[in-house]
Amino acid sequence: VEDARDAHDDKDDGDEDSVEDARDAHVVCASARGARARELKYSSADGDDNKGGLTSPAAFNAAAVACAAVTMPTLVYPTTLVRDGLGLECATPLAGEVFETIESTSHFANAFGADAFAVIALAALYTLSDAAANSRLKSETYQRLALAVVLYTGSLCVAFDGAYLAHAAGVVDGPAPNAVTAAAITGAFLPAFVTSISAIRTYGPGHDATWARFGADLALVKNLGDRTEQGGYLELFYKVSFWTSMVVGGSFAFSPLSPLAIVNESANVSAQLVQRSFGLSTVFMLAPAQMVLTDACRRGRLGGGTFKKLNLSIAVAIALIDWMTIYTFGEVVKLNPSAEQLSTASGGMENYVAALSVSFSIAAVYLYQGVFAKK
């Protein structure tokens, strides 16, 4: 439908090479309008997006408010979550607090970094709300975004609630999430999980087709040499960004050792939780958003409002994480750690420099596309 509209617009502007091409574009556009009308009729038969319910704009807006109510204050003041909710040492620079131990800087860094990815989730929920208002939830773009929100919110709820229950049952010892923290995380993310999975079930192609499309998307991003004329090297950039997120995020999420840790606390449940939350957010929110942008790039659609918002949200999240990395590294240097304290460190200066250099470059591209990409 979008391609037909673009062709029809070109005809109106006098940009077609011949009258014959203009006639063809008009016929295609008329056919697309008919298909769109049938789609809207079908959507109304399934349930009107504008009439309320779990897939209404109001439901997505409410889910965004619930998510922001917990994640944004935590982004500003992580100490409440880390110290009071998880029982770990922490300090918040904006509140005038001072890091007293290396562990406190690590806890702050992981919590702040994980929370930064909520910016992308909020952008996704905003675009899903807009899609619901305009009966576009059947689009593959919004189905991909809905699946990303489901994976992101679901993984974090399972991680925090699972750690709380394991500690309550006596399976693990030491610091762990308390009941208030587990309830807050569930309250923040469950509404987004429910609305997004409802959008998939109501407007998606079905369970098997949804996962088949997911498999096709993975096959597409694996093939770095397959690029469209519209996508070009920018499409390659998005594909490489996707795999970078998967590799780096996976190392945080599924390994007890962080690739950029000053100290590794593999036996500490809460410390592992905040580290793995950063990785889960990378794998299940950032990477899927990059997959959506890869598809948009292939089709020459990065100038659309949805994709600009996603690009900008990713640029903001990366910028926040870069600031956190630079700041906490400076704070660690001030603490003058001993060789014994650094005995469990992983990564080293080379990893920090390489990570920041790559991250700055990536953020610049997302920012440019979010501001200047054209339709």
Side-chain angles (χ1 to χ4, degrees), residues 41 57 66 83 111 144 167 185 239 244 247 279 292 307 311 332:
K41 181 178 179 181
R83 184 182 61 201
R144 289 186 179 101
H167 185 264
I185 293 297
K239 288 180 177 180
T244 301
V247 171
V292 170
F307 309 116
N311 270 309
V332 168

Side-chain angles (χ1 to χ4, degrees), residues 129-177:
S129 173
D130 182 69
N134 292 281
S135 299
R136 296 199 306 268
L137 286 175
K138 289 179 183 290
S139 163
E140 288 192 353
T141 291
Y142 300 107
Q143 286 293 307
R144 289 186 179 101
L145 280 179
L147 181 59
V149 173
V150 168
L151 294 174
Y152 167 68
T153 56
S155 65
L156 289 178
C157 284
V158 168
F160 275 83
D161 293 344
Y164 164 70
L165 292 174
H167 185 264
V171 177
V172 295
D173 299 320

Side-chain angles (χ1 to χ4, degrees), residues 48-79:
D48 192 345
D49 290 337
N50 299 307
K51 296 296 184 182
L54 293 177
T55 57
S56 68
F60 284 108
N61 289 337
V65 170
C67 180
V70 173
T71 57
M72 293 302 99
T74 302
L75 188 65
V76 175
Y77 190 67
T79 300

